[in-house]
Amino acid sequence: MPHALAPVTTRALVVLPPAPWTGHRRSSQGYRRTVVALVCAGLATFAQLYSPQGILPMISSDLRIAAPTASLTVSAATLGLALAVLPWSVVADRVGRVRAIQVALVTATTIGLLTPFAPTVELLVAGRFLEGAALGGVPALAITLLHEEIHSAHTAVVAGMFVGGVSIGGLAGRVLAAGVAELAGWRVGLATVSGLCVLTTVAFVVLAPRARGFVPDRDGLRHVGSLVLTNLRDRGLLVLYANGALVIGGFVTIYNYLGFRLEAPPYLLSPAVTSLVFFAYLGGTVSSRLAGSLTVRWGRRRVLAVAGAMMSAGALLTLAPQIPLILLGLVILTASFFGAHAVASGWVGHRAVVGRSQATSLYNAFYYAASSLLGWLGGVTWVHAGWPGVAIFVAAVALTAPLLTLGSRSLRTPATGTTRRASRPRPRSTPGGATSSLAS
C-alpha cells in the first residue's frame, strides 16, 4: 500500500531590512585598515604642510627676505587650506570622503614636488598656497570619515590616533627637510618631503576600505549654506572653533621663529641641529592618544581647559636662557597643543547633529586661518620684541582658550533642537546619546 503523502505547508519568506551601519569595531579588519589609512593621510598632509618651518632661516637668508616674509611659505599653505576646506566638504558630500581624500593627496603631492623649484618668491608662495588648498581635502574629511566608519565607542580614541599621525608627519617633514637642506639646499629638502608623501599617499589609496557609512548628499549649495549657518549659530561649536584657532596660532608661532632664535647668538646652532627640537612632537603623539582616553574619565571640557593652561605655561618656560629648559617648555607646549586639538576636533564631530562635514570643515577653516594670521603676527612680534615678545604673545593666546572653555555655558549642554530642524538628519549622524554624554 503506498505511503500517504505528507501535507505540504508553505511559509512566507520574510526578508528583513539590513541592520543600520554602526561602524567598524576595534577587533575587525576594517577598523585596523581604516585607522592605518587615516594615520597615513595625516602623515602625508602635515609633513608637506609644515615642511618649510624648520628651514625658514635658510629660506630667509637665501632669498634675502625678512623673517615674516619667509614665514609666508608656511602661512600661504595654511591659508589655502583654510579657504578650501568648505569647498572640499561639498565635493565629499557628493563623491564620498575616501575618494575626496585620495584626490586631495595625489594633487597635493604633485604640486609639492614642483613648487620648491619656483624661480621667484611670489611663485614659491603661490605654489605653497595651491598645495595647501589641495591638502584642505584631508583634515576635516578625515574626522568626518572616522565618525562615519568607526563605531562611536572608539571615535575619541581613533581621533587621537589620527592626530598622533599628524604629529609624526609634522616631525618627519620638518626634520627631513632640514637634514636634506643642509646637504643639498632647502629646495631639495622640500621636494624630498613631498617624495616621501607619495609613499604614504599610495598607502592610503590601497588601505582605505570601501565606505559603508557614507550617504551621498545631492542637495544644492543653498542647502550646504544652511548647514554652515546652522553650525555657526551653535555657540558651543563657536567656542570649539575658537579653541582650535587659538592653540594652533600659538603653536605655529613658536615653531616658526624658534629656529631664528637658536641659530642666532649666543646659541649659533646649525639648521640640522635646530630641527632636532621638532622631536618634541613625539610628546604630541603620546598626548593626543592620552587625551582621547582621558575624556572618557574626566570629560572633554575639563581636559580641553587643562591642555590650554599647560600650553601657556610651556610657552613661558621657553623664556629661560638654558637650552634644556627651552626644550622642556617646548615639550610641554607641544604635548598640550596636540591634546587640545585632539579633544576639540573630535568634539566638533560629535556635537554636530547634522552637517557634520560642514561643521568639521568650519573648524579647520578657523583653525588654519588663525594659523596663517597669528603665525605672521608672531613674526612681527619677533622683529620688534624678540623672543620675550613671542613667548608672551603665545602664552596670552593659549591661555585665552581655556578661559573660553570654562566660561562657556553652551558646552555644558547638547546641541539645540534648532540644529535638528535645519536639515533632514543623515541615516547615521551622531549616535544615540553621544551628544549629551560628551557635553561635560
Side-chain angles (χ1 to χ4, degrees), residues 417-439:
T418 306
T419 308
R420 294 187 181 274
R421 293 192 298 269
S423 171
R424 66 178 185 276
R426 295 290 187 88
R428 182 180 182 262
S429 61
T430 305
T435 304
S436 59
S437 66
L438 295 169

Side-chain angles (χ1 to χ4, degrees), residues 93 115 134 136 142 171 211 226 246 287 326 362 372 380 382 394:
D93 278 345
T115 295
L171 168 62
S226 71
L246 291 167
S287 67
I326 295 173
L362 281 170
S372 301
V380 176
W382 163 258
V394 171

Side-chain angles (χ1 to χ4, degrees), residues 2 11 32 34 127 137 140 142 155 190 192 228 238 241 244 283-284 350-351 370 394 439:
R11 293 183 180 179
R32 292 189 292 270
T34 301
T155 52
L190 295 182
T192 301
V228 170
L238 290 178
Y241 297 157
H350 274 287
R351 186 174 178 87
V394 171

